[in-house]
DNA sequence: GAGCACTGC
C-alpha cells in the first residue's frame, strides 16, 4: 500500500492568481446582459457571427432570446443546436420558464425519442444529430431564419457535420429573400481556425463570470500519475480548506483501483487528530444512474467528497461544490484505424483546451484551485486543441448521410478539418460493397477531350498505386484522372432512412426480404446500443451470482441471439427495472434498445415494409445478418485461430463474448473489433453463421476474392 | 481475458 510520505509529495510551483472573485455578478444578473444592445446590432448586420464566452456567461440561454426578440422578423424561427440531449432539453426548459411560457409552445425542443414542439414554436433547441437528420429532407434548412450552433469548441462529430451543412445551406440561400443567419458559439478564445473557415466572420466576445481560479503545476515531471494523484488528494485533504475534490482519471479500472487505495489510506489517516473523513465516489458512464447520482448529494460537514471521474465530468456532468480539481493530464481516446478496420482505445495526453476545461470545473461556487500533475513546460508542449472527432472515427454513416442530403462532392466536402482521403475512400468502398453507392462515369468536357483526343491514360506507376482500405490492399484509380462520380443508389437512400450503421440497416432490410423483420428489428436494436451486461464494478455484492444466472440467456450462436434473448426477457418482465437489477443487467441500455426498436419499426412501417416473423426458422435472422455484416466476417483457420476475411489479420474472441462458452465455430461475424493491449485485435461481440449464408450474401467481387 | 464520452425526424 502506498502512503503519502513526506518525501514523496508532489511539489507545486508558487500559486499564481489568474483572476479575482466577483460575487456581485450573481445578483446583478448574467454578464452578457450588459452586452445585449451591442450583440443585437451586430447580429442584425451580420450574416455570420462567432460568439466567444465561457459557460456561465449566459450565452446559451440569452443569445437565442436576443435573436428571437430583436433580430428575426415576426414569425421567424430560431434553431439552437447542441451536442447533447440533456443540454438541449435543459436549455429549452430554462428559456421557456424565463419567458413564462409552456414548454413546447413558443419555446420547444427536439431530440431523439423526445420532442416538445408545436406549430407556434419559434425557438427550437435540438441536438446536432437531429439537425443532421433534418437536412436530409430539408438541405436548405428552410424552416429556420437563424441557426445557432452551440459548444462548437468540443468539435463533436455531428457538430462538425452540422457546421458544414449550415455553411452549404447559407450559401444556397444567399441573395434570396430569406437568407440564413448563422451564429456559432464557442468557449475557446482560440478561434483563428473557425474564423478562417467562416470567411473571416467577426468574433463577438462575451465576458464570462469572473471567478478566482488558481493553477498549480507540478514542479517536476511525474513518472507515475496514479501515485501523484493519491499523494495530491491527501495533501489537499490535509492542507487546504474545506471543499470537495474532483480528480480526472482515464477509465473504470483505474478509478476503482484508486478508489480502493484511497479508502484504505483514509482509514489510516482519519486516526490522526484533526483529520476529517473523506468519501470517495467513482464516476463514469458505465455506472448505474443511481450510483452516479451520489456525487450530487452533499456529504456531512465533517467530511470531504472526493470524486474520481472520467471525462464525463469534463462536459456532461457538472458537480456542485467542487473547489479543487486534480488533473492527471491524461485521457482515454477512441480512434478508428482504417488500416486495421478496428477501434483503438488508447491513453494519451490531454489537449490544452481540455486542461482548461478541467480546471474550470474548480471553484464554480467560490475560489478554486486546479492541481496539474504535470509541469507548466509540459503543459505548453501539449497540443492546443484535441483532434476533432471527425478525424478519428469511421465515416461510413456520415458519408451516407451527406449523400442522402445531396452534397455534390462528398470526397471534397468542405469540413473545417477534413478527414484523411484514405478514411473517406475506405468508407466509400464499404458503402459500395453494401450497394449503397455506385461510381458512375461522368464525361466532363475536359475529360472527354483528354481521353478522346490524345488518349491519355494514367501512367503505369500511378495506375498501380495501391492503398489500404479497411485493411485490404486495393488498387486505386489515379484520382487526378478519375472522372467517376459517386451517387447514391435506391438501396442507399433507403439505408439512410435508418438511424443505424449502414451495415445494420442493410441487415434489417434483408430481414424484410427473408420474412424475419421482427427478429431483425431486435438484432439491429440490441447491436446498436452498449452492452446490457454490467461489469464487475457496476454490480451489487450479490452481482456475480446473479450474473451466473444470466448464463441461461447464452445462445450457442453468439452475442446477437444472446442479447436478443435478454431483450425479450426484459420485455416479458414488463420492462421492469427491478428485474434488471436482480439479473445485474443495465436497465438504461435495455430501455434504450427498446426505444431504438420502436423507432426502427416505425420507419419500416413508413417505408411500407411488411412485418414478418421467422418463428419456426431460427436460421433466417442469422442469414439476414450476413447480408449486412459480411465485411465483418471471420473464419477459423486450420490452426484453430480466427482470421478476418477482409484483412487476413488474426483476431481473437473477446473475453465478454457469449461465443466463449461454446466450442469454436468455423465462421463468425464480429460486431466491433478492438485493438490494443497484448491481445492484438479482439472481437468485442460476435455471432456464428454458416459459410454458405455468407457466400450468398457477398457481392461478386468479394466472393471471388475471398474464395467463397 | 477487458469498455473514454456523445449521438441518430
Amino acid at each position: 500500500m502506498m502512503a503519502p510520505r513526506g518525501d514523496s509529495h508532489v511539489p507545486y510551483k508558487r500559486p499564481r492568481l489568474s483572476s479575482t472573485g466577483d460575487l456581485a455578478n450573481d445578483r446583478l444578473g448574467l454578464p452578457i446582459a450588459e452586452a445585449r444592445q451591442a450583440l443585437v446590432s451586430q447580429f442584425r448586420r451580420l450574416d455570420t457571427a462567432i460568439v466567444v464566452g465561457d459557460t456561465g456567461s449566459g450565452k446559451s440561454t440569452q443569445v437565442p432570446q436576443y435573436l428571437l426578440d430583436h433580430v428575426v422578423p415576426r414569425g421567424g424561427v430560431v434553431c439552437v443546436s447542441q451536442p447533447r440531449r440533456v443540454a438541449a432539453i435543459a436549455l429549452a426548459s430554462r428559456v421557456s420558464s424565463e419567458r413564462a411560457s409552456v414548454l413546447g409552445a413558443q419555446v420547444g425542443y427536439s431530440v431523439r425519442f423526445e420532442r416538445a414542439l408545436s406549430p407556434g414554436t419559434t425557438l427550437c433547441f435540438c441536438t446536432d444529430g437531429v439537425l443532421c437528420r433534418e437536412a436530409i429532407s430539408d438541405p436548405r434548412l428552410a424552416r429556420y431564419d437563424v441557426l445557432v450552433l452551440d459548444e462548437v469548441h468540443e468539435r463533436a462529430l455531428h457538430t462538425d457535420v452540422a457546421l458544414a451543412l449550415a455553411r452549404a445551406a447559407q450559401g444556397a440561400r444567399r441573395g434570396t429573400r430569406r437568407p440564413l443567419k448563422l451564429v456559432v458559439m464557442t468557449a475557446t478564445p482560440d478561434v483563428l481556425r473557425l474564423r478562417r473557415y467562416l470567411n473571416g466572420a467577426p468574433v463577438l466576445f462575451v465576458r464570462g463570470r469572473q471567478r478566482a481560479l488558481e493553477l498549480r503545476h507540478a514542479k517536476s515531471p511525474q513518472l507515475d500519475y496514479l501515485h501523484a494523484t493519491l499523494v495530491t488528494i491527501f495533501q489537499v485533504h490535509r492542507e487546504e480548506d474545506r471543499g470537495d475534490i474532483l480528480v480526472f482519471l482515464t477509465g473504470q479500472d483505474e478509478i476503482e483501483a484508486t478508489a480502493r487505495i484511497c479508502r484504505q489510506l483514509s482509514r489510516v489517516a482519519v486516526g490522526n487528530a484533526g483529520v476529517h473523513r473523506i468519501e470517495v465516489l467513482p464516476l463514469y458512464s458505465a455506472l448505474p444512474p443511481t450510483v452516479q447520482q451520489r456525487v450530487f448529494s452533499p456529504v456531512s460537514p465533517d467530511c470531504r467528497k472526493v470524486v474520481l471521474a472520467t471525462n464525463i465530468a469534463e462536459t456532461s456532468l457538472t458537480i456542485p461544490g467542487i473547489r479543487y480539481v486534480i488533473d492527471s493530464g491524461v485521457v482515454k481516446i477512441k480512434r478508428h484505424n482504417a488500416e486495421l478496420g478496428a477501434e483503438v482505445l488508447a491513453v494519451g495526453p490531454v489537449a490544452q483546451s481540455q486542461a482548461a476545461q478541467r480546471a474550470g470545473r474548480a471553484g464554480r461556487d467560490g475560489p478554486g484551485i486546479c492541481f496539474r500533475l504535470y509541469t507548466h513546460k509540459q503543459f505548453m508542449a501539449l497540443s492546443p486543441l484535441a483532434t476533432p472527432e471527425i478525424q478519428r472515427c469511421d465515416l461510413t454513416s456520415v458519408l451516407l448521410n451527406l449523400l442522402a442530403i445531396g452534397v455534390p462532392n462528398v470526397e471534397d466536402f468542405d469540413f473545417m478539418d477534413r478527414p484523411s482521403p484514405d478514411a473517406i475512400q475506405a468508407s466509400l468502398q464499404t458503402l459500395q460493397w453494401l450497394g449503397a453507392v455506385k461510381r458512375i462515369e461522368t464525361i466532363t468536357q475536359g475529360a472527354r477531350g483528354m481521353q478522346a483526343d490524345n488518349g491519355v491514360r494514367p501512367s503505369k506507376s500511378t495506375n498501380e498505386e495501391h492503398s489500404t482500405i479497411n485493411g485490404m490492399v486495393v488498387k486505386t484509380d489515379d484520382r487526378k484522372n478519375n472522372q467517376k462520380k459517386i451517387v447514391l443508389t435506391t438501396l442507399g437512400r433507403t439505408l439512410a432512412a435508418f438511424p443505424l450503421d449502414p451495415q445494420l440497416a442493410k441487415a434489417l432490410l434483408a430481414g424484410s426480404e427473408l420474412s424475419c423483420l421482427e427478429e431483425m428489428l431486435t438484432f439491429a436494436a440490441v447491436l446498436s446500443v452498449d452492452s446490457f451486461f454490467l461489469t464487475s464494478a457496476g454490480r451489487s455484492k450479490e452481482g456475480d451470482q446473479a450474473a451466473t444466472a444470466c448464463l441461461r440467456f447464452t445462445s450457442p450462436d453468439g452475442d446477437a441471439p444472446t442479447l436478443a434473448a435478454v431483450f425479450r426477457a426484459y420485455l416479458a418482465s414488463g420492462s421492469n427495472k427491478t428485474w434488471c437489477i436482480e439479473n445485474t443487467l443495465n436497465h438504461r441500455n435495455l430501455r434504450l434498445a427498446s426505444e431504438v426498436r420502436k423507432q426502427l419499426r416505425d420507419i419500416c412501417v413508413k417505408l411500407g415494409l411488411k412485418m414478418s416473423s421467422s418463428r419456426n426458422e431460427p436460421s433466417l435472422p442469422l442469414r439476414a445478418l450476413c447480408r449486412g455484416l459480411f465485411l465483418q466476417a471471420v473464419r477459423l483457420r486450420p490452426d484453430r485461430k480466427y482470421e478476418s476475411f477482409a484483412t487476413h489479420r488474426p483476431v481473437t474472441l473477446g473475453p465478454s463474448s457469449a461465443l466463449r462458452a461454446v466450442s469454436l465455430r468455423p465462421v463468425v461475424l464480429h460486431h466491433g473489433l478492438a485493438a490494443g493491449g497484448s491481445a492484438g485485435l479482439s472481437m468485442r461481440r460476435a455471432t456464428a453463421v454458416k459459410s454458405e449464408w455468407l457466400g450468398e450474401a457477398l457481392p461478386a467481387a468479394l466472393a471471388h476474392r475471398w474464395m467463397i
Side-chain angles (χ1 to χ4, degrees), chain A residues 332-609:
Chain A
K332 211 178 264 190
I333 301 179
K334 193 168 73 180
R335 278 173 193 278
H336 179 79
N337 184 326
E339 211 172 302
L340 297 173
E343 309 279 358
V344 184
L345 199 54
V347 174
V350 296
Q352 287 177 356
S353 61
Q354 280 179 294
Q357 180 76 19
R358 288 179 171 190
R361 299 270 130 174
R364 296 180 79 81
D365 313 315
I369 307 175
C370 174
F371 297 84
R372 288 179 170 162
L373 304 179
Y374 43 95
T375 65
H376 188 255
K377 193 177 165 194
Q378 283 177 308
F379 170 79
M380 295 307 286
L382 292 173
S383 157
L385 301 167
T387 309
E389 194 182 3
I390 200 165
Q391 294 184 329
R392 303 189 330 243
C393 69
D394 177 65
L395 297 168
T396 314
S397 266
V398 170
L399 292 180
L400 183 66
N401 201 182
L402 290 183
L403 284 158
I405 288 165
V407 165
N409 234 329
V410 286
E411 287 162 294
D412 294 321
F413 194 50
D414 192 15
F415 291 111
M416 177 156 44
D417 287 291
R418 294 188 186 206
S420 77
D422 280 355
I424 293 174
Q425 291 308 317
S427 294
L428 286 175
Q429 179 64 79
T430 299
L431 289 173
Q432 203 175 343
W433 274 321
L434 288 171
V437 303
K438 57 186 174 189
R439 295 174 196 254
I440 56 166
E441 300 280 350
T442 53
I443 314 287
T444 60
Q445 279 85 354
R448 184 188 288 138
M450 217 157 105
Q451 295 205 332
D453 294 346
N454 53 23
V456 173
R457 304 289 306 151
S459 71
K460 196 166 187 234
S461 62
T462 52
N463 196 25
E464 290 192 349
E465 187 181 307
H466 290 68
S467 69
T468 317
I469 287 174
N470 281 334
M472 285 172 262
V473 178
V474 172
K475 274 188 199 164
T476 54
D477 299 317
D478 180 9
R479 293 205 187 102
K480 285 190 286 288
N481 292 298
N482 185 5
Q483 265 81 47
K484 288 188 177 170
K485 185 179 185 325
I486 289 141
V487 292
L488 202 60
T489 61
T490 312
L491 172 64
R493 181 154 295 282
T494 310
L495 296 183
F498 293 96
L500 284 175
D501 284 345
Q503 290 93 325
L504 274 181
K506 180 150 188 207
L508 187 59
L509 288 182
S512 171
E513 291 164 21
L514 294 173
S515 302
C516 54
L517 188 52
E518 294 281 7
E519 286 78 9
M520 289 314 288
L521 283 166
T522 302
F523 274 2
V526 301
L527 289 177
S528 67
V529 303
D530 285 340
S531 176
F532 300 147
F533 300 108
L534 288 175
T535 47
S536 55
R539 276 186 201 147
S540 61
K541 289 186 184 69
E542 306 77 23
D544 283 315
Q545 208 184 342
T548 319
C550 256
L551 285 175
R552 71 180 183 275
F553 298 115
T554 304
S555 159
D557 290 326
D559 293 298
T562 299
L563 292 167
V566 174
F567 180 74
R568 279 191 296 270
Y570 164 72
L571 292 187
S573 80
S575 307
N576 188 312
K577 195 172 171 180
T578 314
W579 181 87
C580 293
I581 295 166
E582 282 166 4
N583 289 281
T584 59
L585 294 167
N586 185 319
H587 176 247
R588 193 176 27 166
N589 289 344
L590 276 159
R591 196 181 49 202
L592 185 61
S594 130
E595 290 189 284
V596 171
R597 194 183 186 283
K598 266 183 232 142
Q599 188 186 25
L600 297 177
R601 198 174 193 280
D602 287 346
I603 295 169
C604 286
V605 169
K606 268 188 204 133
L607 290 174
L609 300 179

Side-chain angles (χ1 to χ4, degrees), chain A residues 125-163:
Chain A
F125 290 85
C126 68
T127 52
D128 299 329
V130 164
L131 192 65
C132 291
R133 301 294 303 181
E134 273 186 359
I136 294 179
S137 57
D138 181 13
R140 294 161 73 94
L141 303 173
R143 299 163 52 178
Y144 308 121
D145 295 270
V146 183
L147 177 59
V148 183
L149 291 175
D150 201 3
E151 313 280 16
V152 168
H153 59 277
E154 287 182 23
R155 304 300 307 274
L157 175 64
H158 286 118
T159 312
D160 273 17
V161 177
L163 186 55

